[in-house]
Amino acid sequence: MTRKAAGGLQRAFFLWTIAGTSLIVAAAAGAAVVEVFRGTADAGTFVWGMIGIAALLESLVLFAVGLRLRHRYLNQVQSYDSRGDYLADDGSSRPRIPLLGDGQATQNIRNQSLGGN
C-alpha cells in the first residue's frame, strides 16, 4: 500500500513536469496563437498556433489531473499498515519510529557538530 500511495504522488509530480514542458511549447508558439485568434495567420503560423493551443490545453488538463492525484494522496487515511515497517533496532535503546510515514527515512542526529569536525 505504501508504494502505491507514494506512486500516486510521484505520478502527480511527473504530470506537472510534463505540463510545465507543454507550457514552454505553448509560450514558444505564443505569437502564432495570437495570430490564429486574430485570423491573420498564414499556413505555417496557423500550424504553430494550433500546436500552441493544443499544448496549452494539454498543460491545463495535466495540471488538473496532477492536482486530483495529489488531493487523493493527501486525503488517504494513514494507518500502521500504510506507514511502513518500523526501522530495525540498532541496540541504542532509542525508539526508531519511521519519519514522514514511509518507513524509509532515518534520523540523522548521530555525531553531528556545528564546528565541522
Side-chain angles (χ1 to χ4, degrees):
M1 175 96 177
T2 302
R3 297 290 180 212
K4 183 178 180 183
L9 192 58
Q10 289 174 350
R11 280 193 300 265
F13 292 143
F14 179 71
L15 290 176
W16 289 339
T17 302
I18 295 173
T21 306
S22 296
L23 277 178
I24 292 171
V25 172
V33 170
V34 171
E35 287 193 29
V36 166
F37 282 125
R38 284 186 186 166
T40 60
D42 59 357
T45 306
F46 182 78
V47 170
W48 265 110
M50 295 310 289
I51 290 172
I53 291 169
L56 182 62
L57 291 175
E58 176 191 26
S59 66
L60 290 174
V61 167
L62 290 176
F63 184 73
V65 170
L67 277 179
R68 179 72 180 145
L69 285 173
R70 182 180 175 270
H71 180 73
R72 189 178 340 158
Y73 172 77
L74 291 178
N75 285 335
Q76 276 183 340
V77 175
Q78 296 295 320
S79 67
Y80 286 107
D81 293 331
S82 65
R83 278 178 36 170
D85 297 330
Y86 281 88
L87 301 174
D89 185 16
D90 62 354
S92 66
S93 72
R94 287 186 300 150
R96 302 292 304 250
I97 301 169
L99 303 176
L100 304 176
D102 65 353
Q104 302 298 317
T106 59
Q107 296 174 350
N108 189 14
I109 59 173
R110 288 184 233 108
N111 301 325
Q112 290 185 356
S113 66
L114 296 175
N117 288 334

